[in-house]
Amino acid sequence: MSEANPIVYRPSTERIRASRMYDYMQWLEREGVVEVEDYDALHAWSVDALEDFWASIWDYTGVIAEARGNTVLDSRSMPGARWFGGARLNFAENLLREALHGDAGKTAIVGLSESRDEVRLSYAELLDQVGAFEAWLVEQGVAAGDRVAGVVAHTHEPIVAMLACASIGAIWSSASPDFGVAGLVDRFAQIEPRVLITVDGYRYGGKDFDRRDRIDELCERIPSITHVVVTANQGRAVPDDARVTGWDDALQAHRGARPSFTPQAFEQPVYILFSSGTTGAPKCIVHGAGGALLQHSKELILHGDIGRDDVFFYFTTCGWMMWNWHVSGLLTGAQLVLYDGNPGHPDLDVLWQVAERERVTHFGTSAKWLASCRNTQITPGVDHDLSALRVLFSTGSPLLPADYDWVYAQVKQDLLLGSISGGTDIVSSFVGCSPLLPVRRGEIQCRLLGVAAKAFNEAGEPVIDECGELVCTQPLPSMPIGFWNDADGSRYREAYFSSFDGVWAHGDFVLFTQQGGAIIYGRSDATLNVGGVRIGTAEIYRQIEPMAAIADAMVVAQPYGDDTRIVVLVVLNRGYTLDDSLKKEIRKQLRENASPRHMPGVIEAVSALPYTRSGKKVEIAVARLLRGMTINNTAAIANPESLDEIRELEALELDDEAIRRQL
């Protein structure tokens, strides 16, 4: 692995010693907790002494609490481990600590959008808006445990609303406004929100979308909604309806109110997030305030090296867990930069312009977007002043080795490229970056602190330098409290603990290297099994997506005869045609750089591939289609029409007789 994944970045001694991770190690020694020399030793201690580690995170990151409780962890058994029993804290109070105990006049949020003018809020102004909106919620009868749903753009209003909910112990759940009504009902009807917050409209890629006409239908199909707040994202008139209040009117009526920051139990629900729902109704994943707070504090402060003087940008929507992660950046005292719009409009340079103008120190995006930048051959490091940039986060899918090359050649050499991987299920990551370690090409740097992540083979044995199921053998504070409407916990246990007894199985296919790095090979439930050999889809993506002709690709398995064949669907860059010559080139690339087993039986071109609204390839839905199975929830797919194009490909033989032969 060391030869295949050479070091492409090594932090200087000065950079290491200036990092918060290094400071944390010195603090552990000063406090008499433990002495460790490097990251490997620190990680080993963090999983061996799990209780001491998480207690140190509480202390080092400065959790604000009424009470810490008597125990850190009641048991290491899973599921059912309970953290910080007796603790009393408030999630919003911890995120707003800069407003309360720091420099309230410094900028907290810069909101940039295609739809509206720039918005800048200081921490003091953010605190004031949270207090005002909390007072409005209380006036409507919202109390601890009630749900508030947002169909919202990534602007400042959802952040204010979430913090106001957390202040009183209400539960926030959100989706982006490009969701169809059916998709929204699939999610929110399950949790019965009392209040809906929505946008009047939004602009994406220069095109305007009015969303006011959905209010009546959503209220009719989700009868629990008694009040609606409309944010003026495009300055449209608020509907004349007794249930509807304009955002500014809700705030104005309660100017001067202060947040209550009511202390809650460590496990008080703060978020309900949803699985993608591409193979059925979305699962409603309930996350606790204390677990999310501790996990995000560790990841942002130590692994991300974010502090009060930093500027933290992440391109996300409010329907992706990275929104929750980004918003938690407030707990560091940093300045958040938000962007609501198309990251490729008018071209892919738009976000790099934001990075230059706002002096962004931490830039977050998806692996898919970075691949698009590479594909279009832009040169942000030449075209923009990125001297402030220290960390580039990437997630959403495996980052290709070619994209590591592009980042260090065309963005910046002195840069921590932090590929991270986790999920909605833990609202955080299992593996990611460390400012103490080098970056290897095509490899995530490390297991995160406190995370006992391993790769298990089918016998449930840990393996190194071999692909296996990504598992976690010890509890994490941010593992879900449970699923909504799952009183006996059976759906929760089935989702994560049915594969290996007492061990969390995440559903990813991973390889851990001898050096401690990780390579994600895609979802294990989308893993190919050809001739009895398991192949991660990312093994194929890593070879073909960097090819000049390929703009995007999807790999799925299709039953064929007595075995399974690999199907590769490609979107071509302009000027290329999928002729026999290109097909030969693709197969040769796979045969020589992967193995003969990786070569596809079918290669077909399409105009677009299906993605979820959070930007993830919908491999499982396409695999179901190729088996003649029903796709239960196309509302979760951003472009469901792409499935129709795939269904009509003659080479896939999707007629009834062929399907019967396959099955």
Side-chain angles (χ1 to χ4, degrees), residues 603-617:
I603 306 173
E604 285 292 308
V606 292
S607 60
L609 296 170
Y611 277 83
T612 66
R613 296 179 186 276
S614 60
K616 296 186 178 181
K617 292 178 183 177

Side-chain angles (χ1 to χ4, degrees), residues 91-92 95 108-112 116 126 130 133 148-166 170-177 179 188 197 199 231 233 247 270-274 287 292 296 299-300 306 312-331 336-341 364-366 393 395-396 420 423-424 426-429 613-616:
F91 186 77
L95 263 62
I109 293 173
V110 177
L112 307 173
R116 60 204 281 190
L126 177 60
V130 171
F133 196 69
V148 174
V151 184
V152 281
H154 190 20
T155 59
H156 72 281
E157 291 96 340
I159 299 176
V160 171
M162 180 279 290
L163 291 169
C165 289
I171 309 169
W172 173 258
S173 187
S174 60
S176 54
F179 267 80
F188 294 139
I197 301 168
V199 295
T231 68
N233 209 37
W247 175 266
V270 66
Y271 291 132
I272 296 177
L273 278 68
F274 302 96
H287 285 291
H296 290 177
E299 292 188 358
L300 294 166
I306 302 175
F312 180 25
F313 167 80
Y314 215 107
F315 180 79
T316 180
T317 71
C318 295
W320 190 19
M321 61 142 284
M322 297 312 299
W323 179 84
N324 308 78
W325 200 75
H326 187 207
V327 172
S328 284
L330 291 169
L331 65 86
L336 301 190
V337 178
L338 323 178
Y339 189 81
D340 165 37
T365 185
S366 67
F393 294 118
T395 193
I420 60 178
T424 299
I426 59 166
V427 71
S428 56
S429 298
R613 296 179 186 276
S614 60
K616 296 186 178 181

Side-chain angles (χ1 to χ4, degrees), residues 206-500:
K207 184 178 180 180
D208 290 324
F209 299 86
D210 191 337
R211 284 297 179 257
R212 295 171 299 171
D213 57 350
R214 296 179 167 196
I215 293 173
D216 283 343
E217 186 175 0
L218 286 172
C219 289
E220 180 180 337
R221 296 180 64 179
I222 309 177
S224 61
I225 296 173
T226 59
H227 295 86
V228 180
V229 181
V230 178
T231 68
N233 209 37
Q234 290 199 298
R236 303 174 187 270
V238 175
D240 185 12
D241 186 320
R243 295 169 299 185
V244 178
T245 303
W247 175 266
D248 290 341
D249 292 334
L251 294 187
Q252 190 59 42
H254 299 280
R255 293 287 182 192
R258 302 291 288 177
S260 63
F261 297 136
T262 306
Q264 308 284 344
F266 189 85
E267 290 190 342
Q268 172 69 22
V270 66
Y271 291 132
I272 296 177
L273 278 68
F274 302 96
S275 65
S276 60
T278 53
T279 56
K283 297 188 290 287
C284 308
I285 304 170
V286 184
H287 285 291
L293 175 66
L294 276 189
Q295 188 82 324
H296 290 177
S297 296
K298 176 200 71 177
E299 292 188 358
L300 294 166
I301 295 173
L302 299 184
H303 289 278
D305 198 30
I306 302 175
R308 295 180 66 247
D309 297 328
D310 288 318
V311 179
F312 180 25
F313 167 80
Y314 215 107
F315 180 79
T316 180
T317 71
C318 295
W320 190 19
M321 61 142 284
M322 297 312 299
W323 179 84
N324 308 78
W325 200 75
H326 187 207
V327 172
S328 284
L330 291 169
L331 65 86
T332 69
Q335 173 182 304
L336 301 190
V337 178
L338 323 178
Y339 189 81
D340 165 37
N342 185 333
H345 179 79
D347 54 46
L348 287 165
D349 209 41
V350 63
L351 297 187
W352 299 112
Q353 293 173 12
V354 170
E356 177 179 20
R357 184 171 65 249
E358 299 300 328
R359 304 289 296 164
V360 169
T361 61
H362 294 70
F363 184 108
T365 185
S366 67
K368 180 176 181 287
W369 187 79
L370 289 175
S372 297
C373 289
R374 169 181 51 78
N375 241 314
T376 53
Q377 300 181 351
I378 64 173
T379 54
V382 173
D383 301 332
H384 301 285
D385 177 5
L386 302 179
S387 56
L389 187 63
R390 300 202 322 274
V391 179
L392 176 59
F393 294 118
S394 168
T395 193
S397 59
L399 188 64
L400 299 175
D403 295 322
Y404 283 75
D405 297 339
W406 178 82
V407 165
Y408 284 107
Q410 304 300 343
V411 179
K412 195 175 183 180
Q413 292 182 343
D414 185 19
L415 179 72
L416 173 56
L417 177 52
S419 180
I420 60 178
S421 183
T424 299
D425 315 78
I426 59 166
V427 71
S428 56
S429 298
F430 291 106
V431 292
C433 58
S434 167
L436 307 183
L437 296 174
V439 174
R440 291 183 178 273
R441 181 178 187 265
E443 195 173 303
I444 297 173
Q445 285 177 288
C446 60
R447 299 167 176 87
L448 299 190
L449 295 177
V451 179
K454 297 179 180 179
F456 270 15
N457 62 19
E458 292 181 346
E461 302 163 335
V463 293
I464 297 292
D465 283 341
E466 180 182 326
C467 292
E469 291 278 348
L470 173 60
V471 302
C472 192
T473 60
Q474 295 192 146
L476 288 172
S478 65
M479 286 175 176
I481 297 169
F483 293 165
W484 197 257
N485 293 328
D486 181 31
D488 64 359
S490 58
R491 293 174 63 214
Y492 177 64
R493 290 191 298 274
E494 174 65 25
Y496 307 116
F497 299 100
S498 59
S499 298
F500 307 103

Side-chain angles (χ1 to χ4, degrees), residues 167-194:
S167 180
I168 56 177
I171 309 169
W172 173 258
S173 187
S174 60
S176 54
D178 58 337
F179 267 80
V181 171
L184 295 171
V185 172
D186 282 346
R187 286 157 172 74
F188 294 139
Q190 297 185 71
I191 65 172
E192 299 178 300
R194 187 162 187 164

Side-chain angles (χ1 to χ4, degrees), residues 476-622:
L476 288 172
S478 65
M479 286 175 176
I481 297 169
F483 293 165
W484 197 257
N485 293 328
D486 181 31
D488 64 359
S490 58
R491 293 174 63 214
Y492 177 64
R493 290 191 298 274
E494 174 65 25
Y496 307 116
F497 299 100
S498 59
S499 298
F500 307 103
D501 186 39
V503 173
W504 172 291
H506 191 59
D508 277 345
F509 208 27
V510 67
L511 179 150
F512 286 107
T513 69
Q514 292 286 353
Q515 304 97 291
I519 301 171
I520 303 292
Y521 286 97
R523 296 293 296 172
S524 57
D525 47 13
T527 297
L528 313 176
N529 194 324
V530 182
V533 178
R534 299 175 80 199
I535 297 173
T537 54
E539 296 179 55
I540 296 177
Y541 293 138
R542 287 158 73 92
Q543 298 303 326
I544 65 175
E545 285 190 345
M547 296 175 67
I550 308 300
D552 202 359
M554 178 173 286
V555 181
V556 291
Q558 181 187 31
Y560 196 75
D562 296 327
D563 197 1
T564 298
R565 66 179 180 181
I566 296 173
V567 174
V568 173
L569 304 174
V570 296
V571 178
L572 298 176
N573 282 315
R574 184 172 299 180
Y576 290 90
T577 303
L578 187 64
D579 53 17
D580 289 343
S581 175
L582 180 54
K583 289 182 180 180
K584 285 183 180 179
E585 187 181 347
I586 291 171
R587 288 190 170 99
K588 179 182 178 183
Q589 177 77 7
L590 288 166
R591 183 179 63 251
E592 295 181 354
N593 295 288
S595 81
R597 294 189 302 270
H598 290 73
M599 288 196 299
V602 176
I603 306 173
E604 285 292 308
V606 292
S607 60
L609 296 170
Y611 277 83
T612 66
R613 296 179 186 276
S614 60
K616 296 186 178 181
K617 292 178 183 177
V618 192
E619 294 170 330
I620 297 173
V622 175

